[in-house]
């Protein structure tokens, strides 16, 4: 039987801090969006301006997360996994907010 040659690649690359921050913003935005959806459902849609302010902050988090994630993708000699995850998740969050606004109008 032929054995495959095992090779190890050692690298000094690290994950982009901007990419990690973008992913953290995406997680926070998603968590607050889910909490606002659940609270709105429990109250029968009769929520005050506080919930609207939270959704607005989630929109800001997502927009900033996309910008920071794109800067994280451009860094040299860094892994871009978290930057990609952050960008994609923040775009999904923006689509969720857009869907909420469209359904509410």
């Amino acid at each position: 039987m032929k054995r495959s040659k095992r090779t190890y690649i050692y690298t000094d690359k690290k994950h982009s801090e901007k990419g990690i921050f973008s992913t953290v913003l995406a997680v926070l935005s998603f968590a607050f969006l889910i909490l606002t959806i659940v609270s709105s459902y429990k109250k029968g849609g009769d929520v005050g301006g506080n919930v609207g302010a939270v959704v607005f902050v989630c929109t800001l988090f997502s927009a900033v997360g996309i910008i920071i994630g794109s800067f994280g993708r451009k860094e040299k000699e860094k892994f871009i996994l978290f930057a990609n995850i952050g960008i994609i998740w923040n775009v999904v969050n923006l689509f969720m907010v857009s869907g909420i606004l469209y359904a509410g109008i």
Side-chain angles (χ1 to χ4, degrees), residues 25-64:
L25 285 176
V27 170
L28 286 174
S29 177
F30 185 74
F32 284 125
L33 279 174
I34 295 300
L35 287 175
T36 57
I37 291 170
V38 168
S39 71
S40 176
Y41 180 75
K42 284 184 178 180
K43 293 181 180 181
D46 186 28
V47 292
N50 293 338
V51 174
V54 170
V55 172
F56 179 71
V57 170
C58 290
T59 305
L60 289 178
F61 278 3
S62 294
V64 170

Side-chain angles (χ1 to χ4, degrees), residues 70-89:
S70 64
F71 286 143
R73 275 187 57 85
K74 293 179 183 178
E75 290 183 7
K76 300 287 184 191
E77 297 297 321
K78 299 280 186 170
F79 291 121
I80 59 170
L81 174 68
F82 283 109
N84 288 339
I85 291 172
I87 291 169
I88 292 169
W89 203 344

